[in-house]
Amino acid sequence: MAHEAAVCGMIAGGVAAALTTPLDVVKTRAMLEAKVSRANLIAADGSQPTNPFFSSRIQATKADGASRRAASVLSIPSRLAQITSQEGVKALFAGVVPRTMWISLGGAVFLGAYDLVSDPFQMKM
């Protein structure tokens, strides 16, 4: 039944989204850090981005040019440890509710629609 597949998709998607949120936080921060680092390197006048989330990181990398390179090559476990030690475990689950809701909805639609469409094509024995 399509509604059962939708419920299973919703549960599976929600659990997977909640459990992988820390990895998504690490990935997003690494991407944003790389974007800000590129912007700083490109800016000829030395202007700083106005986003307060990155201002302390940028100033730290400006003070020590080597730390800019080191921050961009941190492994996933070291980034997880860094976020946990500096901001606490709660920071690793930033955005867990909207992410879980969004992926749960996607799982429900995907598996529900798949079951609905594939049902007529299955051979009955």
Side-chain angles (χ1 to χ4, degrees):
M1 306 285 282
H3 68 281
E4 291 172 346
V7 170
C8 289
M10 180 180 289
I11 293 169
V15 169
L19 291 176
T20 59
T21 296
L23 297 175
D24 191 56
V25 167
V26 168
K27 177 216 37 135
T28 302
R29 288 189 182 197
M31 291 172 58
L32 292 172
E33 182 181 300
K35 182 178 179 180
V36 169
S37 293
R38 272 195 311 272
N40 280 344
L41 293 174
I42 292 171
D45 60 351
S47 63
Q48 297 282 329
T50 57
N51 188 338
F53 177 75
F54 295 109
S55 63
S56 62
R57 290 184 184 181
I58 293 167
Q59 289 166 359
T61 58
K62 288 249 182 209
D64 178 18
S67 64
R68 178 184 297 146
R69 285 191 201 94
S72 65
V73 295
L74 287 176
S75 66
I76 292 172
S78 61
R79 284 184 184 271
L80 285 168
Q82 179 186 29
I83 292 170
T84 303
S85 67
Q86 291 177 355
E87 303 172 47
V89 175
K90 187 176 180 181
L92 291 175
F93 290 92
V96 69
V97 172
R99 182 172 192 267
T100 301
M101 298 300 286
W102 180 250
I103 294 176
S104 292
L105 179 62
V109 170
F110 179 79
L111 285 178
Y114 173 79
D115 194 57
L116 189 66
V117 171
S118 69
D119 214 20
F121 299 106
Q122 292 180 1
M123 295 184 66
K124 307 285 184 188
M125 290 191 188

